Amino acid sequence: MKRKTKLILFSLGVFIILISAVLVGFKLMQPKFNDFSGIKFPSPPAREPIQNVNTDILYKEKEWTTNFTHDGAIIKAADWYYVFSTDYMVGAPPTPGIQIRKSKDLIHWEFVGRVFDHVSTEGLEWTKGNTFWAPAVIEMNNKFYLYYSVSEVGKRNSYIGMATSASIEGPWEDKGVVFKSQEGDNYTVNAIDPDVIFDKQGQPWMVYGSYFGGIFISKIDKNTGKLENPADEGTLIAQRKNMSFGIEGPEIMYNPVTDYYYLTVSYEWLEDTYNVRTARSKSITGPYLDYNEKDMVDSTDESFNTGTKLVGSYAFDNDNGWQGPGHNGLLEADGEYFLIHNARAVEDIYWSHLHVRKIVWTEDGWPVVSPERFAGETEQKISEENIIGNWEHILLPRYDDSLQASKQIQLLKNGRIKDDEKSSWKLTGENLLKLSIYNPDAAPDSYSTYNLKVIPAWDWENWNGTLVFTGMDQHGTVLWGKKQLVK
């Protein structure tokens, strides 16, 4: 072979190698859209995706797991988590007695049984109601106290009773009335939906009520478990304009880090627009103010806009979604916080499930919850490479309680957002994401700036691990997001 030909072939070979190296290097320099390096995802909650509606289990209580849970109250006793809930099922009248479920991990639930076999004679005669609503349970004086409601639908003929037990699974002894209300009495409150909370001095209080008059709080006698003043309905802490504006299911938790009490309530109608809102106070008796410093006692036309919405009806891609998430319970366990609530499958809104969601805290001390149900995830350090990719996001506006469907957004490298030159993103901490979205509809040169927590989660809609974010903008409007994997 001539020397010139060899030189040409050698040069061509070198050129090909260089081009290949450049292409490989360029490819390596490109961000991976699904780079989850360094992230530990939760394990699958089950071998296969769980059906939201499963008629095969309708009369098989031992297979109910999270099905038919409504108005759940949660407590940790020894190594178990227990949820007590309203008598509820689909297709037939429910068996009275307050349902009990338990779990070791807040993920896998088993049906335990019921507290009672029937409503007490006193509760039945006072209300004409033959089922139990909205229980609450606490541990005090080395035993367990269960508070329950009996009510006549659509009226203030309501009754809160109490039972005690040495064991969380019973047997329970009914101790009679705690407080009761009736049409035409001298009270304002409706005696339903009790929750009992200890303040930071260890004093127990009962918060209760509904859209009949609002939400009240009253001091509990620590020796008896009943009201310190049985004739006093307590202090009004939340109220809306009138009975056309639903409010019920109150719970309160205290966070010693922020030194605030957080009130949660459910707004609107339980089968569709139900949603959970929160406000906070330095005093357990209020006033409770939301993110925008609106008082939760509001009888004006603006009462639709009070409360910072934490959970509302939603649908991510590849799923019909959930309606009426509400009547929440709150749990603090070993420094971690959780919010539970019932939610109805859009495929059949009478199928109500228990949802457990991890609470994370914003830098300014507000609780927000994961957009995905809990599967064992923990907060972890997130890198910029983890963020780059396709996301779905759902806004939870305070003024619109209808089902919110997810929208698409693509986060690119260097803090850019696809097809949106004015919006941007930035990691500002180990798992803190700042998302600035240009919003000219609000005002010229206006931005919605969301401060978000990013955490690993289980994607219940697509059945894989992923990243989610949750947080608020400068007006206290919550934004949820989920990283969408490219198949």
Side-chain angles (χ1 to χ4, degrees):
M1 185 180 294
K2 294 182 179 180
R3 184 180 179 185
K4 184 176 181 181
T5 302
K6 289 182 179 180
L7 185 60
I8 292 172
L9 290 175
F10 176 77
S11 300
L12 182 60
V14 171
F15 178 75
I16 292 172
I17 292 172
L18 289 173
I19 291 297
S20 300
V22 169
L23 291 174
V24 170
F26 181 76
K27 185 176 181 180
L28 290 173
M29 290 173 63
Q30 293 302 300
K32 299 177 183 178
F33 263 39
N34 294 316
D35 184 349
F36 292 130
S37 56
I39 304 298
K40 182 179 180 181
F41 292 112
S43 301
R47 291 183 179 180
E48 297 179 354
I50 298 169
Q51 299 179 44
N52 297 338
V53 175
N54 181 8
T55 56
D56 291 342
I57 67 166
L58 194 56
Y59 298 101
K60 300 175 182 178
E61 291 180 352
K62 293 300 181 183
E63 299 180 33
W64 278 6
T65 62
T66 65
N67 290 276
F68 312 135
T69 310
H70 218 284
D71 310 331
I74 188 167
I75 186 174
K76 186 176 184 183
D79 295 327
W80 288 91
Y81 301 94
Y82 286 84
V83 167
F84 292 71
S85 59
T86 287
D87 305 334
Y88 183 83
M89 69 171 295
V90 172
T95 302
I98 305 175
Q99 299 174 12
I100 310 174
R101 290 166 175 79
K102 68 179 181 179
S103 170
K104 280 281 190 180
D105 55 12
L106 296 171
I107 306 165
H108 305 95
W109 293 88
E110 59 183 272
F111 191 83
V112 175
R114 293 178 174 81
V115 174
F116 299 118
D117 295 325
H118 56 81
V119 171
S120 68
T121 300
E122 183 181 31
L124 178 63
E125 289 179 350
W126 184 262
T127 67
K128 307 299 187 292
N130 59 3
T131 57
F132 293 95
W133 293 2
V137 61
I138 62 167
E139 187 173 5
M140 184 172 64
N141 303 327
N142 296 315
K143 57 185 175 181
F144 296 94
Y145 291 73
L146 174 76
Y147 298 81
Y148 61 84
S149 309
V150 184
S151 184
E152 183 176 358
V153 177
K155 294 185 178 181
R156 285 183 58 255
N157 300 327
S158 302
Y159 176 104
I160 293 174
M162 186 190 79
T164 62
S165 174
S167 168
I168 188 66
E169 294 189 18
W172 294 86
E173 182 181 357
D174 196 334
K175 296 294 186 179
V177 67
V178 175
F179 192 84
K180 55 187 179 181
S181 61
Q182 194 171 50
E183 295 287 339
D185 62 20
N186 294 322
Y187 298 116
T188 302
V189 73
N190 186 23
I192 64 169
D193 294 0
D195 173 49
V196 177
I197 174 69
F198 294 93
D199 66 21
K200 58 186 178 181
Q201 285 81 34
Q203 169 65 47
W205 298 77
M206 184 175 78
V207 58
Y208 68 115
S210 74
Y211 48 86
F212 283 96
I215 307 301
F216 287 74
I217 188 167
S218 189
K219 189 178 289 187
I220 292 284
D221 184 325
K222 195 170 184 178
N223 296 314
T224 66
K226 296 191 176 183
L227 293 187
E228 192 172 89
N229 185 347
D232 184 7
E233 65 185 356
T235 302
L236 178 68
I237 59 172
Q239 184 183 41
R240 302 186 70 195
K241 181 181 178 181
N242 53 45
M243 286 177 52
S244 297
F245 293 80
I247 182 173
E248 59 187 22
E251 291 258 333
I252 294 176
M253 67 177 172
Y254 174 70
N255 185 335
V257 175
T258 65
D259 193 30
Y260 274 105
Y261 295 95
Y262 296 85
L263 168 70
T264 55
V265 292
S266 292
Y267 277 12
E268 303 313 330
W269 179 240
L270 56 87
E271 289 176 358
D272 45 41
T273 52
Y274 224 30
N275 64 95
V276 178
R277 306 208 176 197
T278 191
R280 68 186 186 184
S281 174
K282 287 292 185 178
S283 168
I284 196 168
T285 56
Y288 283 89
L289 307 181
D290 68 10
Y291 185 91
N292 297 301
E293 298 191 345
K294 292 178 178 288
D295 195 321
M296 292 297 284
V297 178
D298 188 347
S299 58
T300 72
D301 290 340
E302 292 297 310
S303 67
F304 74 92
N305 197 27
T306 54
T308 301
K309 187 190 289 188
L310 296 179
V311 184
S313 299
Y314 71 95
F316 280 113
D317 281 358
N318 199 32
D319 190 75
N320 292 318
W322 296 93
Q323 285 192 180
H327 201 118
N328 73 280
L330 298 168
L331 172 70
E332 183 275 325
D334 303 320
E336 290 194 282
Y337 294 83
F338 298 91
L339 181 146
I340 70 168
H341 61 83
N342 44 264
R344 293 167 181 259
V346 168
E347 300 99 298
D348 185 337
I349 62 171
Y350 298 106
W351 282 73
S352 178
H353 283 259
L354 168 68
H355 284 195
V356 180
R357 297 181 189 271
K358 182 177 177 62
I359 293 175
V360 295
W361 297 87
T362 66
E363 290 186 289
D364 52 356
W366 285 95
V368 288
V369 301
S370 173
E372 289 288 353
R373 284 168 277 171
F374 183 68
E377 60 268 20
T378 58
E379 292 189 54
Q380 301 169 34
K381 184 177 181 179
I382 307 296
S383 69
E384 291 188 1
E385 289 74 21
N386 301 148
I387 297 296
I388 295 167
N390 296 313
W391 292 74
E392 300 177 58
H393 64 87
I394 294 175
L395 193 69
L396 298 178
R398 298 182 307 283
Y399 51 83
D400 182 358
D401 296 325
S402 63
L403 185 145
Q404 304 297 310
S406 65
K407 298 179 180 179
Q408 307 298 316
I409 187 171
Q410 189 177 110
L411 305 185
L412 306 174
K413 66 176 183 177
N414 299 328
R416 294 180 297 117
I417 296 178
K418 185 177 180 181
D419 301 327
D420 190 345
E421 294 181 356
K422 292 191 175 184
S423 298
S424 62
W425 65 269
K426 181 181 181 181
L427 276 182
T428 59
E430 286 198 346
N431 67 334
L432 298 175
L433 173 65
K434 185 176 182 179
L435 190 61
S436 296
I437 302 297
Y438 181 56
N439 186 15
D441 292 337
D445 297 322
S446 177
Y447 285 81
S448 294
T449 302
Y450 299 92
N451 290 298
L452 308 163
K453 280 283 187 78
V454 183
I455 57 175
W458 185 256
D459 186 335
W460 289 73
E461 291 76 26
N462 298 294
W463 212 247
N464 51 250
T466 190
L467 291 177
V468 298
F469 62 64
T470 179
M472 302 178 185
D473 70 2
Q474 67 270 36
H475 305 296
T477 301
V478 165
L479 184 72
W480 284 353
K482 176 174 66 175
K483 196 168 186 184
Q484 192 176 49
L485 304 190
V486 178
K487 301 295 185 181

